């Protein structure tokens, strides 16, 4: 007989202990299962989605019924139902084990770690275009484009991984002539501007060579990178956040958090030791629940609205033109406004830089110091010019300028020519900084020989006219015929670099930074648009001789040859900023950014004339003569027409040796409505600036002058030239960078019982106005200001969001923050005080 | 070196704007703080065996270090204020400005830790550690400010989305958290370096663990700028004090306290990281009615938060201490660095991340999605390619 009772009974089984590795394997497996099941069951999900989007909960409940209306259930439907039932039964039977699995600390940590990896995948693998649309996939149609993006993105990343801290990356020094130019630039525009330009240039020089190396790297590794792309596509890594494996991970995380929260009673959690952490968990659960609502029921898109059009109820889902959704009401755009930042440019007449001068955004009390020169006897340079902004105005009215002949002793005065010309309309009076004003069907122009860039053109090419000082007159005529103007070329990989400015004519060929070759093939002054066989517009040149074409829309056609062999024929249209319009990326050689600045004076065109402005004779009268291209000279008299072709003459009305021209700008007062609505933002009136120009500031020789300017070329109101001709100011609305803001005022229209539309009273404009950081909500839809387009001033892009999950997600986030504050700020304070209390 | 000298001592140069001038003064003060802290550490080390147990006595170098720390906090704040006036908005729109704010946050964080932890009250050895930490952070701040001066910092107008009251609290919370968590990571780097060198000088550690630590500190990309100097400086200090090294038990106590100090730095930073992360979501909701756009910047910040959540769990529930916990914390610091400095290189960022406002190459684009769609002939201008 066995006296040891334990020897006969088998040892008690030890419960399985989940480790990090085993937990991770199970979770990964579940994610894979989730991906497979989700992909296979996608038709059901899509049917439900089609049913409930925009139809709310009633749509959700009715959706299965609509699916069943499809004649008969198929075998796979039965299969799915059976598999689902089996799965539910298994889960129920093993509920204890499942609970134990999720309650294990290792499982919780593994979940967090795998979620982290899941999010990281989306960072390390470039997501496909518009991945937010769950239907978006890599297909035969878009594969090439997506592969190209993938190769470029991974190439940049891996290249920099190989060249940590720039070690081994190409560096190029700035050529001495550029450094000399920068030094001169710094003397005029200040040390900070100069340093910033230098930094940008160094980066662009390095980027140019780096870009070539990155391209070579991509080419060398294209094989395995393409395989990586295909693998990413197969595993849905390039649409990670819309994939089923990611949704499964989030679901498992929510399950783990929820089960751990219910592990103990609330009394256990809400102590000072644990309350903060419990609240964080609650917040995570609420946030994930809201996220699930967003995924299942939420919808996003864009509504293209126009002031000239009526109400709309249909928007593009996920910004996809082929997918539209309809709202149960309509929106109408009542007002739209877009404002750019106001800026000043300072041009120094003696300096000719390849790149544009800086644009200084202005605001009240801003001060800009310029023109640093070390005066004799001084060791340190000091600013010789200071601009101080006194005020900005939303409305100014432009009146006829006043012109007065100053005395010889007057400190300021500009030589001026007062011309009366036919009123051809604004579009034909080209070239900026021509002071002009309408007067009884004709126009008065005020031109100065100190501003030789001013020019006037007859719309039918009968003549072209400039004004110059007598000694400069002959040199105004171009020595080389056919120079069309300049082409500004930037290489996009050379980040922040100033553009190269290249004079061009038909047939010009030149090389740019980065080794691109550009040839100018064709030019026109009268580009028109036609449509191709696919109804896409394209520009066409006027076939007539260039010098006989009307001046309407100037363009050149260039042939670009990239160093890697790609080529492109591109039309560059004056005034069209392809980058701002979002067209640049669609060009075959998108790294090359081009802009055309046509020179109406030097390009082929009508006969040229120069009004030579002479020195005052004894007795003070100014003499002037007209010189043509053949060198013939014609004396001029006040009140007489200039001997130029055309039926409508130009008449010389005045010659001022020391003219003081002041555009008459009147500030219009702000007049808000009685209800407080101030629609200044929507006004198209020119805006104004009051500026103080200070010469030799902070010295005994300091001189101040108050200047008013406006954002309109009318009367040259946007230009102010110093009387000594040393510099000129240009006041602009800076449309080259992001705008200041854009806003819309909307109205909502519903239909009554008889189907007739009516405007819903939602209050005054203030309540219906949307801005970038202030959206408008109606019946669960949120409308926010997303798009505008400088070419179409009446267009407003309104983002549309329908998402019942938003309040839950935001509530969950606030809860998490509160929990963290309690756990890590409040708890230590309370525990510290408790430990100090006497026991 | 010339440029560094000019930066540190050239605050009197003509032509500097006010913000740059104050930043250079701050740089000088930070250098003074670092040198004084190192001098204090050296003085304490020399008198280590003679100092009785109890709170460490102060010395002039330590007092100078603390004074210089506070002065540099003040001057950096003045620099930031001036920059705000110069650019007419909260100065955190480009990386240069953000780095200055980050340097300020590091100084504030170390000041808070210095007075909250009161390490010097635990003994002379702790006072040395406190001085070395102060010197390391001050030195890092100097390098950060120096780097900021070499980045483009031209005034740029705020895009519409950035004109929000969320701009400054979101940035400040995140940057302060990065500073605090970065300090925690710095302590981890010192911790691992110390273990490596003790293994070299004293032995008792396996080749595998030595190899692992060496690899961690030298080979993880982009971290070498911090880990290698820490590694070398720690080795130098321990080498100089080789004959006076305390017993192994004392070092275990040092390691435990380093782990606790790093946890405290983490505890300061995690609520700010959480608040900063979700403030971004609140802001995005107001700007685009899209609380989470799965932008790569948002994702890297989320990854950082999740890594620290994992650290929380393994430490509080798993009982992780010592090198396991420190390794996770170091991983979090790497994630912070990736989010802060490296996200621009990440593959998904190469497509247009909305957070590339700080990138000067960002072209001016109206709107965030799509192009205008208007009817009729006006659409003629919307042409992707031309004949």
């Amino acid at each position: 007989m066995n006296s040891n009772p334990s020897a006969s009974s088998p040892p008690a089984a030890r419960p399985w202990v989940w480790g990090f590795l085993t937990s991770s394997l199970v979770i990964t497996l579940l994610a894979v299962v989730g991906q497979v099941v989700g992909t296979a069951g996608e038709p059901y999900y899509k049917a439900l989605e089609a049913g409930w989007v925009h139809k709310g909960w009633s749509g959700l409940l009715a959706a299965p019924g609509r699916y069943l209306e499809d004649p008969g259930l198929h075998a796979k439907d039965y299969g799915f139902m059976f598999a689902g039932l089996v799965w539910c039964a298994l889960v129920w039977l093993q509920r204890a084990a499942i609970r134990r699995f999720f309650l294990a600390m290792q499982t919780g940590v593994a979940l967090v770690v795998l979620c982290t990896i899941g999010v990281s995948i989306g960072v390390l693998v470039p997501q496909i275009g518009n991945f937010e649309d769950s239907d978006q996939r890599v297909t035969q149609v878009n594969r090439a484009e997506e592969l190209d993006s993938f190769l470029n993105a991974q190439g940049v990343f891996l290249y920099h991984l190989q060249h940590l801290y720039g070690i081994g990356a190409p560096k190029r020094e700035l050529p001495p002539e550029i450094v000399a130019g920068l030094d001169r630039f710094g003397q005029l525009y200040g040390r900070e501007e100069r340093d910033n330009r230098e930094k940008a240039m160094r980066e662009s020089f390095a980027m140019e060579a780096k870009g070539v190396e990155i391209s070579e790297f991509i080419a060398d590794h294209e094989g395995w990178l393409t395989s990586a792309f295909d693998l990413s596509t197969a595993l849905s890594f390039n649409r990670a956040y819309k994939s089923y494996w990611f949704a499964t991970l989030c679901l498992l995380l929510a399950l783990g958090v929820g089960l751990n929260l219910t592990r103990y009673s609330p009394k256990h959690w809400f102590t000072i030791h644990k309350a903060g952490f419990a609240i964080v968990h609650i917040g995570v659960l609420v946030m994930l629940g809201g996220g699930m609502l967003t995924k299942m029921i939420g919808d996003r898109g864009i509504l293209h609205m126009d002031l000239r059009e009526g109400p709309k109820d249909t928007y593009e889902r996920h910004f996809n033109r082929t997918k539209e959704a309809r709202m149960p009401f309509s929106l109408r755009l009542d007002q739209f406004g877009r404002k750019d930042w106001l800026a000043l440019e300072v041009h120094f007449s003696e300096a000719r830089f390849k790149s544009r001068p800086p644009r200084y955004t202005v605001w009240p009390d801003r001060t800009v110091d310029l023109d640093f020169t070390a005066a004799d006897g001084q060791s340190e340079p000091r600013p010789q010019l200071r601009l101080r902004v006194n005020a900005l105005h939303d409305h100014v009215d432009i009146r006829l300028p006043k012109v007065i002949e100053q005395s010889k002793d007057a400190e300021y005065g500009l030589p001026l020519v007062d011309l009366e010309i036919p009123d051809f309309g604004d579009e034909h009076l080209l070239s900026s900084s021509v002071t002009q004003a309408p007067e009884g069907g004709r126009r008065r122009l005020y031109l100065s020989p100190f501003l030789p860039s001013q020019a006037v053109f007859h719309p039918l090419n009968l003549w072209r006219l400039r004004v110059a000082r007598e000694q400069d007159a002959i040199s105004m005529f171009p020595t080389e015929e056919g120079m069309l103007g300049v082409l500004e070329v930037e290489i996009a990989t050379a980040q922040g670099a100033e553009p190269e400015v290249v004079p061009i004519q038909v047939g010009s060929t030149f090389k740019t930074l980065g080794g691109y070759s550009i040839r100018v093939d064709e030019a026109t002054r009268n580009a028109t648009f036609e449509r191709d066989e696919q109804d896409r517009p394209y520009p066409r040149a006027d076939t007539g001789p260039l010098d006989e074409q009307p001046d309407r829309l100037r363009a050149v056609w260039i042939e670009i040859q990239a160093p890697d062999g790609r080529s492109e024929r591109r039309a560059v249209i004056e005034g069209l900023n392809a980058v701002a319009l979002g067209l640049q990326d669609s060009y075959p050689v998108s790294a090359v950014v081009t802009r055309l600045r046509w020179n109406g004076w030097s390009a082929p065109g009508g006969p040229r004339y120069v009004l030579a402005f002479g020195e005052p004779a004894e007795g003070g009268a100014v003499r002037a003569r007209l010189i043509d291209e053949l060198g013939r000279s014609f004396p001029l008299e006040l009140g007489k027409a200039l001997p130029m072709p055309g039926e409508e003459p130009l008449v010389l009305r005045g010659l001022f040796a020391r003219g003081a021209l002041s555009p008459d700008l009147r500030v219009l007062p702000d007049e808000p409505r009685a209800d407080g609505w101030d629609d200044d933002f929507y006004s198209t009136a020119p805006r104004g600036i009051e500026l103080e120009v200070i010469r030799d500031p902070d010295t005994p020789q300091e001189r101040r002058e108050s200047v008013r300017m406006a954002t309109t070329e009318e009367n040259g109101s946007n230009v102010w030239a110093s009387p000594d001709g040393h510099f000129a100011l240009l006041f602009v609305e800076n449309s080259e960078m992001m705008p200041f803001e854009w806003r819309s005022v909307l109205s909502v229209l519903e239909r009554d019982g008889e189907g007739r539309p009516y405007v819903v009273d939602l209050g005054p404009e203030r309540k219906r106005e949307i801005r970038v950081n202030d959206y408008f909500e109606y019946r669960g839809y949120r409308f926010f200001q997303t798009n505008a387009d400088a070419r179409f001033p009446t267009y407003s892009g309104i983002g549309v969001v329908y998402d019942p999950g938003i309040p839950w997600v935001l509530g969950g986030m606030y809860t998490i923050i509160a929990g963290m504050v309690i756990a890590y700020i409040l708890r230590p304070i309370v525990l510290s005080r408790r430990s100090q209390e006497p026991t | 070196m010339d440029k560094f000298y000019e930066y540190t001592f050239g605050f009197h140069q003509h032509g500097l704007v006010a913000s740059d001038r104050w930043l250079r003064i701050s740089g000088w003060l930070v250098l003074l703080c670092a040198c004084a802290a190192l001098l204090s550490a050296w003085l304490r080390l020399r008198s280590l065996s003679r100092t009785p147990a109890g709170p460490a006595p102060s010395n002039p170098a330590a007092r100078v270090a603390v004074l210089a720390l506070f002065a540099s906090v003040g001057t950096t704040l003045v620099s930031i204020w001036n920059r705000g006036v110069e650019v007419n908005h909260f100065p955190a729109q480009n990386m240069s400005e953000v780095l200055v704010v980050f340097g300020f946050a590091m100084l504030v964080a170390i000041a808070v830790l210095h007075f909250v932890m009161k390490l010097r009250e635990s003994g002379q050895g702790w006072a040395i550690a406190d001085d070395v930490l102060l010197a390391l952070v001050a030195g890092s701040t100097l390098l950060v400010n120096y780097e900021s001066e070499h980045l483009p910092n031209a005034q740029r107008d705020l895009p519409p989305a950035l004109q929000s009251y969320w701009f400054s609290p979101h940035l400040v919370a995140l940057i302060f958290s990065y500073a605090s968590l970065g300090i925690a990571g710095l302590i981890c780097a010192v911790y691992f370096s110390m273990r490596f060198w003790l293994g070299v000088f004293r032995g008792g550690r396996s080749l595998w663990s030595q190899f692992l630590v060496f690899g961690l500190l030298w080979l993880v990309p982009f971290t070498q700028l911090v880990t290698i100097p820490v590694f070398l400086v720690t080795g130098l200090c321990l080498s100089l004090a080789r004959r006076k090294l305390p017993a192994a038990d004392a070092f275990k106590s040092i390691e435990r306290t380093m782990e606790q100090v790093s946890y405290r730095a983490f505890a300061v930073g995690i609520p700010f990281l959480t608040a900063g992360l979700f403030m971004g979501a609140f802001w995005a909701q107001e700007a685009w009615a899209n609380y989470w756009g799965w932008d790569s910047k948002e994702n890297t910040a989320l990854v950082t938060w999740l890594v620290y959540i994992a650290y929380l769990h393994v430490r509080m529930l798993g009982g992780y201490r010592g090198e396991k916990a420190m390794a996770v914390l170091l991983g979090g610091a790497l994630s912070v660095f990736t989010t802060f400095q490296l996200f621009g290189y990440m593959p998904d960022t190469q497509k247009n991340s909305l957070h590339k406002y700080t990138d000067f190459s960002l072209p001016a684009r109206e709107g965030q999605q799509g192009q205008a769609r208007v009817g009729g002939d006006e659409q003629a201008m919307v042409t992707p390619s031309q004949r």
Side-chain angles (χ1 to χ4, degrees), chain A residues 56-69:
Chain A
W57 294 108
S58 60
L60 169 63
L61 294 170
R66 270 196 288 278
Y67 184 83
L68 290 171
E69 280 168 11

PDB file of all heavy atoms in Angstrom, chain A residues 56-69:
ATOM      1  N   GLY A  56     -28.252  58.421 -41.617  1.00  0.00           N
ATOM      2  CA  GLY A  56     -28.282  58.313 -40.170  1.00  0.00           C
ATOM      3  C   GLY A  56     -28.597  56.900 -39.710  1.00  0.00           C
ATOM      4  O   GLY A  56     -28.434  55.916 -40.431  1.00  0.00           O
ATOM      5  N   TRP A  57     -29.097  56.796 -38.481  1.00  0.00           N
ATOM      6  CA  TRP A  57     -29.317  55.488 -37.884  1.00  0.00           C
ATOM      7  C   TRP A  57     -30.447  54.733 -38.583  1.00  0.00           C
ATOM      8  O   TRP A  57     -30.401  53.498 -38.677  1.00  0.00           O
ATOM      9  CB  TRP A  57     -29.638  55.646 -36.393  1.00  0.00           C
ATOM     10  CG  TRP A  57     -28.438  56.178 -35.637  1.00  0.00           C
ATOM     11  CD1 TRP A  57     -28.280  57.423 -35.115  1.00  0.00           C
ATOM     12  CD2 TRP A  57     -27.239  55.468 -35.345  1.00  0.00           C
ATOM     13  NE1 TRP A  57     -27.043  57.546 -34.527  1.00  0.00           N
ATOM     14  CE2 TRP A  57     -26.377  56.365 -34.655  1.00  0.00           C
ATOM     15  CE3 TRP A  57     -26.790  54.180 -35.603  1.00  0.00           C
ATOM     16  CZ2 TRP A  57     -25.108  55.989 -34.207  1.00  0.00           C
ATOM     17  CZ3 TRP A  57     -25.514  53.821 -35.151  1.00  0.00           C
ATOM     18  CH2 TRP A  57     -24.690  54.724 -34.465  1.00  0.00           C
ATOM     19  N   SER A  58     -31.428  55.429 -39.077  1.00  0.00           N
ATOM     20  CA  SER A  58     -32.509  54.709 -39.762  1.00  0.00           C
ATOM     21  C   SER A  58     -31.968  54.054 -41.026  1.00  0.00           C
ATOM     22  O   SER A  58     -32.378  52.949 -41.396  1.00  0.00           O
ATOM     23  CB  SER A  58     -33.654  55.677 -40.095  1.00  0.00           C
ATOM     24  OG  SER A  58     -33.158  56.716 -40.939  1.00  0.00           O
ATOM     25  N   GLY A  59     -31.064  54.723 -41.661  1.00  0.00           N
ATOM     26  CA  GLY A  59     -30.444  54.137 -42.841  1.00  0.00           C
ATOM     27  C   GLY A  59     -29.637  52.906 -42.490  1.00  0.00           C
ATOM     28  O   GLY A  59     -29.631  51.916 -43.224  1.00  0.00           O
ATOM     29  N   LEU A  60     -28.958  52.964 -41.345  1.00  0.00           N
ATOM     30  CA  LEU A  60     -28.166  51.825 -40.901  1.00  0.00           C
ATOM     31  C   LEU A  60     -29.067  50.617 -40.686  1.00  0.00           C
ATOM     32  O   LEU A  60     -28.766  49.503 -41.124  1.00  0.00           O
ATOM     33  CB  LEU A  60     -27.427  52.202 -39.610  1.00  0.00           C
ATOM     34  CG  LEU A  60     -26.748  51.056 -38.861  1.00  0.00           C
ATOM     35  CD1 LEU A  60     -25.662  50.435 -39.705  1.00  0.00           C
ATOM     36  CD2 LEU A  60     -26.159  51.568 -37.539  1.00  0.00           C
ATOM     37  N   LEU A  61     -30.206  50.845 -40.019  1.00  0.00           N
ATOM     38  CA  LEU A  61     -31.094  49.715 -39.714  1.00  0.00           C
ATOM     39  C   LEU A  61     -31.729  49.153 -40.976  1.00  0.00           C
ATOM     40  O   LEU A  61     -32.000  47.955 -41.062  1.00  0.00           O
ATOM     41  CB  LEU A  61     -32.174  50.160 -38.720  1.00  0.00           C
ATOM     42  CG  LEU A  61     -31.633  50.528 -37.327  1.00  0.00           C
ATOM     43  CD1 LEU A  61     -32.713  51.190 -36.483  1.00  0.00           C
ATOM     44  CD2 LEU A  61     -31.079  49.299 -36.625  1.00  0.00           C
ATOM     45  N   ALA A  62     -31.975  50.023 -41.925  1.00  0.00           N
ATOM     46  CA  ALA A  62     -32.637  49.569 -43.159  1.00  0.00           C
ATOM     47  C   ALA A  62     -31.639  48.958 -44.138  1.00  0.00           C
ATOM     48  O   ALA A  62     -32.045  48.267 -45.076  1.00  0.00           O
ATOM     49  CB  ALA A  62     -33.350  50.748 -43.823  1.00  0.00           C
ATOM     50  N   ALA A  63     -30.341  49.200 -43.932  1.00  0.00           N
ATOM     51  CA  ALA A  63     -29.335  48.760 -44.913  1.00  0.00           C
ATOM     52  C   ALA A  63     -29.339  47.256 -45.132  1.00  0.00           C
ATOM     53  O   ALA A  63     -29.290  46.805 -46.277  1.00  0.00           O
ATOM     54  CB  ALA A  63     -27.954  49.258 -44.503  1.00  0.00           C
ATOM     55  N   PRO A  64     -29.393  46.425 -44.079  1.00  0.00           N
ATOM     56  CA  PRO A  64     -29.391  44.973 -44.340  1.00  0.00           C
ATOM     57  C   PRO A  64     -30.580  44.539 -45.184  1.00  0.00           C
ATOM     58  O   PRO A  64     -30.454  43.682 -46.055  1.00  0.00           O
ATOM     59  CB  PRO A  64     -29.448  44.349 -42.933  1.00  0.00           C
ATOM     60  CG  PRO A  64     -28.917  45.416 -42.030  1.00  0.00           C
ATOM     61  CD  PRO A  64     -29.350  46.706 -42.643  1.00  0.00           C
ATOM     62  N   GLY A  65     -31.728  45.159 -44.922  1.00  0.00           N
ATOM     63  CA  GLY A  65     -32.909  44.826 -45.703  1.00  0.00           C
ATOM     64  C   GLY A  65     -32.698  45.138 -47.170  1.00  0.00           C
ATOM     65  O   GLY A  65     -33.103  44.382 -48.065  1.00  0.00           O
ATOM     66  N   ARG A  66     -32.053  46.272 -47.437  1.00  0.00           N
ATOM     67  CA  ARG A  66     -31.799  46.639 -48.834  1.00  0.00           C
ATOM     68  C   ARG A  66     -30.863  45.644 -49.476  1.00  0.00           C
ATOM     69  O   ARG A  66     -30.993  45.322 -50.645  1.00  0.00           O
ATOM     70  CB  ARG A  66     -31.205  48.049 -48.898  1.00  0.00           C
ATOM     71  CG  ARG A  66     -32.244  49.133 -49.015  1.00  0.00           C
ATOM     72  CD  ARG A  66     -31.593  50.427 -49.462  1.00  0.00           C
ATOM     73  NE  ARG A  66     -30.802  50.990 -48.379  1.00  0.00           N
ATOM     74  CZ  ARG A  66     -31.335  51.716 -47.393  1.00  0.00           C
ATOM     75  NH1 ARG A  66     -32.613  51.975 -47.358  1.00  0.00           N
ATOM     76  NH2 ARG A  66     -30.567  52.178 -46.436  1.00  0.00           N
ATOM     77  N   TYR A  67     -29.907  45.143 -48.708  1.00  0.00           N
ATOM     78  CA  TYR A  67     -28.966  44.151 -49.263  1.00  0.00           C
ATOM     79  C   TYR A  67     -29.716  42.879 -49.628  1.00  0.00           C
ATOM     80  O   TYR A  67     -29.453  42.245 -50.644  1.00  0.00           O
ATOM     81  CB  TYR A  67     -27.859  43.865 -48.249  1.00  0.00           C
ATOM     82  CG  TYR A  67     -26.799  42.925 -48.772  1.00  0.00           C
ATOM     83  CD1 TYR A  67     -25.748  43.387 -49.567  1.00  0.00           C
ATOM     84  CD2 TYR A  67     -26.855  41.562 -48.491  1.00  0.00           C
ATOM     85  CE1 TYR A  67     -24.791  42.515 -50.057  1.00  0.00           C
ATOM     86  CE2 TYR A  67     -25.883  40.696 -48.983  1.00  0.00           C
ATOM     87  CZ  TYR A  67     -24.862  41.167 -49.763  1.00  0.00           C
ATOM     88  OH  TYR A  67     -23.913  40.306 -50.248  1.00  0.00           O
ATOM     89  N   LEU A  68     -30.664  42.511 -48.762  1.00  0.00           N
ATOM     90  CA  LEU A  68     -31.382  41.258 -48.984  1.00  0.00           C
ATOM     91  C   LEU A  68     -32.349  41.346 -50.150  1.00  0.00           C
ATOM     92  O   LEU A  68     -32.837  40.315 -50.630  1.00  0.00           O
ATOM     93  CB  LEU A  68     -32.129  40.861 -47.702  1.00  0.00           C
ATOM     94  CG  LEU A  68     -31.219  40.410 -46.552  1.00  0.00           C
ATOM     95  CD1 LEU A  68     -32.023  40.244 -45.259  1.00  0.00           C
ATOM     96  CD2 LEU A  68     -30.511  39.105 -46.882  1.00  0.00           C
ATOM     97  N   GLU A  69     -32.648  42.565 -50.573  1.00  0.00           N
ATOM     98  CA  GLU A  69     -33.559  42.710 -51.711  1.00  0.00           C
ATOM     99  C   GLU A  69     -32.925  42.154 -52.980  1.00  0.00           C
ATOM    100  O   GLU A  69     -33.606  41.766 -53.913  1.00  0.00           O
ATOM    101  CB  GLU A  69     -33.899  44.198 -51.926  1.00  0.00           C
ATOM    102  CG  GLU A  69     -34.968  44.695 -50.971  1.00  0.00           C
ATOM    103  CD  GLU A  69     -35.081  46.212 -50.999  1.00  0.00           C
ATOM    104  OE1 GLU A  69     -34.478  46.836 -51.893  1.00  0.00           O
ATOM    105  OE2 GLU A  69     -35.754  46.759 -50.109  1.00  0.00           O
TER     106      GLU A  69
END
